[in-house]
Amino acid sequence: MFARLGRLVVHHPWKVIGLWLLVIVAVVASAPKLTSTTDQSEFLPSHYESIQAMELQQKAFPQSAAPAAIIVFGRADGAPLTEGDSAAIAAVGEQLTAANLEDVIGLQTVPPSENKLIQIIAVQLTKMTNQGDTRQGDAVEALRTALKRQVEGTDLKAGITGQAAQMLDQQESSAKGMAIIGVATIVLILVLLLVIFRSPVIALLPIVTIGAVSSLVGGLIAMVARAFDLQLDSSVNSILLVVLFGVGTDYILFLMFRYRERLRAGEDPKTAMVGAVARVGEAITSAAGAVIIAFTALTLSTLGMFRALGPALAIAVAVALMAGLTLVPAVVSLLGTKVFWPSKAWKQEPTGARFAALGAALGRRPGAFAVVSGGLLVALGVLAFGFNPTFDLTSGSTSDVSESVVYNKELLRGMPAGATQPSEVLLRADGGVLTVDQLAHFHTALDQVSGVGRVGEPKLSDDKATAEFQVTLDSAPESDVALATVRGPLRDAAHAAAPAGTTAAVGGMTAVFVDFQDAMNHDYAVVFPVAAILIMIVLALLLRSLVAPWYLMASVFLGFAATLGAAVLVFQRIQGDSGLIFTLPVIMYLFVVALGTDYNILMVARLREEAREGRDPREAAALGLRHTGPTVAAAGVILAGTFASMMLAGNNVLSQMGFAISVGIGVAAFVMAMFFTPALTALLGHRAWWPGHGDRTAQEVKPGNGDSLRAGSGGTEARPVAPGGGESR
């Protein structure tokens, strides 16, 4: 199959390139705009209490909404506000109202805080109608410009925070982060490929080809998102960028190593490329299949953000695979050996002394290598039990010097920490209207809850059947303490105090985070096992073994635990953060489990090839590490490096993601695939391939026993050839 594909591409390169261009133009021209959202409530299904409360609020109070932005005032010298200052602040509010700024529909000046350190103006903005609506952000920018003029030359300082301001600053921070990530990723790929191949042509090959198909990926994802009404998280663009370039470069790297190997064997360039596609095709297709399965398994998630992210990343990997098997071979077949210009090193077989020595040592003492590498994974994995999820995405995804973060801290000098996003408790009469006594009793019950700073007076709907109580918590709305307050005391008190014939529901952003936590616990119990089973099926079909998939997946999950433990060690233990972003385990699962399986497939495929040459298990492991070690190492460095570039984005969310994924890929490449997997395979010997004959030579396998031997190119070679693997550089 892959030999036929290789011949088709190599003999008709211009047609292949032209077809790619036609598809790209057609998809880009017809695809809708790819949009994303930062509203976490959009990702939860409707049966969660926070969503039910939101729907009840929208129905009962269609014109009501919490302030979209908050203007925070204080004295520049930090002293308490005077009566003159308060009068000046009221005047600022009147002048901003008189300015009739677009999409600013209301400003309400609130009395100073009890300690007189701050005073606020609550700002109502036009509601956003869709994910791409920028009116609130534009209004905040206009307010900031007007506010700066109003306080200039006075004793006051002022800034804008609140949800709309935080979203604006987050978008600006993300745009800067994307630019940094993009430049760092491209520079890293160029430098590493120059070091590996000593050729600017090969270094530019993935940049040009993957850059060309990136618009195709964005268009396909936008089409799928619209067709299935999927909500994409705002972080998807950063992740897509590094996935497409990182994984795509890996697949191109595997192909070029094999191409160079065939040239060194004396084949002409076109025959060498056909052979490279034939040999590497099954391995990278199986590896990509495992990644795609892991990603698409997220469609089983109860959270919309993961149901959308999984297919989006699966599309990116599928396109990268197709480009690696068709577009890149077509381009290289036109260039021939000029692709290595100006280097002549491709003509000479290197000694590979370092990996030869490592392979020899592993072949002599596989047990020691298995214990040391496995022990490292277990030691780091133990630290994973200290993982604490945090929902503080807003401050974590923007710079500490951004206005919304600075004035959110200023706000906390005079108001409870939950003032920026108060919880909302809705009380609904199932029939009739709510009485004054019922409202008073319910208000008292909420006010007595531990962790509640203030309960506002109830606001009644027009039909007097629904009341809304604004509950300000003592703790920041995304903190562990706030989540515990809503999950336990507040919801318990609201449900218990609801009079007969009424229903209570607790909503607001903290309640959304509480429900998010419950949904993710459900996903861990469903998505992870399903993905593991499907990946094991792929491994079993590829390797024709029921034993190997078990220890390969065991090593991958050890790598997952070790990666999470390393992140806990660095960010929670050393850096002192309260926790790691709550999505980190799932993001790590996407890349560490899926891509860790990639490298295991490449290594085991080479081990099988060496075994089929008649070598015993230990010798096969030694030679497998010698020949495939450089390929896995180069691919691991490139992929880990592209994800590490996320740490340059300047915010904690992307820093944690970049660190964890790059460490996970490093563990997968340099611990699992390079040492742990070949050591276990050597120790298990022939049992690793049971009940098949994956390690038998052609002479040992009797005809008709079900073990088909693969030919390298059109079935012309006598010996079986395993796809994947590589060579020493």
Side-chain angles (χ1 to χ4, degrees):
M1 171 184 171
F2 291 101
R4 288 195 297 271
L5 176 63
R7 285 193 294 271
L8 177 66
V9 170
V10 168
H11 293 146
H12 305 281
W14 287 113
K15 291 181 180 179
V16 172
I17 295 171
L19 181 60
W20 269 97
L21 290 175
L22 284 174
V23 172
I24 291 171
V25 171
V27 170
V28 172
S30 58
K33 182 180 179 182
L34 180 61
T35 57
S36 59
T37 180
T38 57
D39 185 355
Q40 304 299 325
S41 65
E42 293 187 22
F43 301 128
L44 278 171
S46 59
H47 66 269
Y48 283 98
E49 184 175 339
S50 60
I51 304 303
Q52 292 173 350
M54 183 181 67
E55 292 172 349
L56 180 58
Q57 181 192 45
Q58 291 173 347
K59 182 178 179 181
F61 308 98
Q63 303 303 320
S64 174
I70 300 173
I71 305 175
V72 182
F73 293 86
R75 283 187 59 86
D77 58 8
L81 294 167
T82 65
E83 291 186 4
D85 293 330
S86 293
I89 292 169
V92 170
E94 292 172 359
Q95 291 165 349
L96 291 176
T97 301
N100 289 321
L101 297 175
E102 189 174 2
D103 295 310
V104 177
I105 59 177
L107 295 99
Q108 180 184 2
T109 303
V110 177
S113 60
E114 291 184 11
N115 60 11
K116 304 291 185 182
L117 291 178
I118 62 105
Q119 186 170 352
I120 68 171
I121 296 178
V123 183
Q124 295 287 348
L125 301 175
T126 302
K127 288 186 177 180
M128 293 190 296
T129 57
N130 56 64
Q131 297 174 25
D133 193 337
T134 62
R135 287 180 295 175
Q136 287 196 351
D138 295 340
V140 169
E141 287 186 328
L143 272 171
R144 283 176 170 171
T145 301
L147 179 64
K148 184 177 181 181
R149 290 197 300 266
Q150 296 292 337
V151 299
E152 194 171 8
T154 71
D155 294 330
L156 298 173
K157 61 180 180 180
I160 303 177
T161 186
Q163 188 172 11
Q166 290 166 345
M167 288 177 63
L168 174 64
D169 290 342
Q170 183 179 341
Q171 289 166 358
E172 292 178 350
S173 177
S174 296
K176 293 177 183 176
M178 278 287 293
I180 293 171
I181 290 170
V183 171
T185 297
I186 291 172
V187 169
L188 181 69
I189 290 173
L190 284 172
V191 170
L192 290 177
L193 288 181
L194 277 171
V195 171
I196 293 170
F197 289 100
R198 302 178 182 87
S199 166
V201 181
I202 292 183
L204 288 170
L205 184 63
I207 305 300
V208 174
T209 54
I210 297 171
V213 303
S214 61
S215 56
L216 171 64
V217 171
L220 291 173
I221 292 172
M223 287 179 172
V224 171
R226 171 175 286 186
F228 295 97
D229 192 27
L230 300 176
Q231 301 287 346
L232 291 168
D233 180 68
S234 58
S235 63
V236 71
N237 289 327
S238 301
I239 298 175
L240 270 176
L241 179 70
V242 291
V243 166
L244 195 56
F245 276 95
V247 173
T249 302
D250 266 10
Y251 294 159
I252 293 172
L253 191 66
F254 300 150
L255 180 73
M256 294 308 297
F257 268 129
R258 278 294 192 172
Y259 177 58
R260 188 173 65 177
E261 183 179 354
R262 303 307 299 164
L263 288 173
R264 286 170 174 167
E267 295 180 352
D268 66 87
K270 290 189 179 294
T271 303
M273 180 51 70
V274 173
V277 173
R279 288 167 178 261
V280 83
E282 186 179 357
I284 66 173
T285 301
S286 299
V291 176
I292 291 170
I293 284 172
F295 288 168
T296 53
L298 284 177
T299 56
L300 300 174
S301 171
T302 56
L303 296 171
M305 64 184 298
F306 295 129
R307 285 201 307 273
L309 182 61
L313 296 178
I315 289 171
V317 172
V319 172
L321 172 66
M322 291 303 300
L325 291 178
T326 59
L327 180 59
V328 173
V331 173
V332 174
S333 67
L334 292 173
L335 295 172
T337 57
K338 295 184 181 67
V339 76
F340 297 106
W341 179 89
S343 173
K344 303 294 184 183
W346 63 271
K347 296 180 179 181
Q348 303 168 354
E349 185 72 35
T351 58
R354 294 186 185 88
F355 285 95
L358 283 172
L362 187 146
R364 288 193 302 270
R365 303 187 64 186
F369 275 80
V371 169
V372 172
S373 56
L376 175 63
L377 296 177
V378 171
L380 287 173
V382 170
L383 296 172
F385 289 104
F387 168 68
N388 181 55
T390 179
F391 291 83
D392 186 7
L393 299 185
T394 303
S395 62
S397 56
T398 56
S399 168
D400 288 340
V401 298
S402 65
E403 185 171 319
S404 61
V405 173
V406 170
Y407 279 90
N408 186 63
K409 294 177 180 176
E410 188 72 17
L411 179 67
L412 299 183
R413 295 178 65 212
M415 299 187 71
T420 53
Q421 292 179 332
S423 294
E424 290 137 3
V425 182
L426 282 297
L427 184 66
R428 172 73 181 175
D430 299 330
V433 298
L434 294 168
T435 67
V436 174
D437 289 342
Q438 288 176 328
L439 295 174
H441 170 74
F442 195 72
H443 183 283
T444 301
L446 296 179
D447 199 35
Q448 292 175 348
V449 173
S450 175
V452 169
R454 183 173 62 214
V455 180
E457 292 302 316
K459 179 168 60 176
L460 279 174
S461 60
D462 292 338
D463 61 3
K464 304 294 191 294
T466 304
E468 178 189 70
F469 296 81
Q470 291 242 328
V471 178
T472 302
L473 304 177
D474 287 331
S475 306
E478 70 281 348
S479 66
D480 293 340
V481 176
L483 266 65
T485 299
V486 169
R487 180 189 300 279
L490 184 57
R491 278 186 170 169
D492 290 346
H495 298 158
T502 67
T503 303
V506 178
M509 191 51 64
T510 306
V512 168
F513 288 150
V514 168
D515 292 339
F516 239 91
Q517 226 170 24
D518 292 341
M520 290 193 66
N521 289 336
H522 168 270
D523 289 351
Y524 293 153
V526 174
V527 176
F528 285 16
V530 169
I533 291 170
L534 293 176
I535 292 174
M536 287 179 69
I537 291 173
V538 171
L539 291 171
L541 292 173
L542 172 69
L543 302 174
R544 291 153 177 80
S545 166
L546 295 179
V547 175
W550 285 98
Y551 71 81
L552 291 178
M553 286 307 297
S555 71
V556 168
F557 277 103
L558 272 177
F560 172 87
T563 303
L564 184 57
V568 169
L569 176 64
V570 170
F571 289 98
Q572 291 184 212
R573 299 284 181 87
I574 297 176
Q575 191 167 299
D577 292 353
S578 61
L580 301 170
I581 55 171
F582 69 100
T583 55
L584 192 61
V586 176
I587 298 295
M588 282 172 42
Y589 148 81
L590 287 172
F591 298 105
V592 178
V593 173
L595 297 174
T597 305
D598 259 22
Y599 297 137
N600 271 341
I601 286 174
L602 290 165
M603 179 59 75
V604 172
R606 188 69 190 220
L607 295 177
R608 182 178 63 178
E609 180 177 344
E610 298 297 343
R612 282 181 168 181
E613 291 290 337
R615 298 179 176 91
D616 65 61
R618 295 192 176 206
E619 186 182 5
L623 291 174
L625 177 56
R626 174 181 179 178
H627 292 300
T628 306
T631 309
V632 171
V637 168
I638 288 176
L639 195 58
T642 56
F643 280 103
S645 67
M646 295 173 70
M647 298 173 66
L648 302 174
N651 69 66
N652 203 38
V653 170
L654 290 179
S655 292
Q656 290 185 14
M657 281 189 189
F659 174 84
I661 297 170
S662 59
V663 167
I665 291 169
V667 167
F670 294 98
V671 180
M672 287 166 19
M674 203 171 292
F675 298 117
F676 192 60
T677 294
L680 285 180
T681 304
L683 290 172
L684 289 170
H686 298 298
R687 290 174 298 224
W689 310 102
W690 183 89
H693 304 281
D695 63 335
R696 302 292 180 85
T697 64
Q699 292 75 22
E700 292 177 308
V701 179
K702 296 179 181 180
N705 68 354
D707 186 54
S708 59
L709 301 178
R710 290 186 186 81
S713 178
T716 59
E717 293 183 340
R719 72 179 181 87
V721 178
E727 54 166 325
S728 53
R729 288 189 289 109

